Amino acid sequence: LAEAVSTDAAAAPYVNNPRGLALFVYGGRADLGNRPATTDGWEFRGNGQIQITGRGLFLRLGEMLCIDLAGNPDLALALDTSVDIAVMGMTRGVFTGRALDDYF
């Protein structure tokens, strides 16, 4: 990102434009499960208390919690869902690849 937006002129389109910035930074990122030429970069930007990011993580956590999180990413903003995401993510090692039980 720093190389792509290294001047004030290059950064200007993203000033006061969070949607444009999210699409630039996260759009089409296959490593996050985001599809190219879609609004995935905006829809699946950091969200909720844990700031989950990327279509892939929304899909995975939604399946674990039996909710359509990818179909409605704003569900991650609800405190009860956000807490469920945090607990599920930490106990199953979703965020780091290591579950809490690995440390006890």
Side-chain angles (χ1 to χ4, degrees):
L1 179 63
E3 292 176 19
V5 183
S6 60
T7 66
D8 289 346
Y14 308 108
V15 174
N16 296 318
N17 180 5
R19 181 183 174 92
L21 182 60
L23 290 172
F24 176 73
V25 174
Y26 301 120
R29 293 258 317 259
D31 61 320
L32 296 175
N34 291 344
R35 302 166 299 177
T38 68
T39 60
D40 283 2
W42 173 250
E43 296 297 324
F44 302 105
R45 66 198 181 280
N47 203 343
Q49 301 300 315
I50 299 293
Q51 293 291 294
I52 60 173
T53 304
R55 173 180 277 279
L57 195 51
F58 278 79
L59 284 167
R60 184 173 178 198
L61 287 164
E63 288 173 3
M64 289 178 167
L65 297 171
C66 299
I67 60 174
D68 187 12
L69 196 56
N72 188 357
D74 287 342
L75 288 174
L77 296 171
L79 184 57
D80 57 336
T81 303
S82 194
V83 168
D84 290 343
I85 288 169
V87 171
M88 185 70 66
M90 289 186 291
T91 58
R92 299 228 182 143
V94 173
F95 306 125
T96 64
R98 303 225 22 213
L100 285 178
D101 282 347
D102 294 339
Y103 298 98
F104 298 108

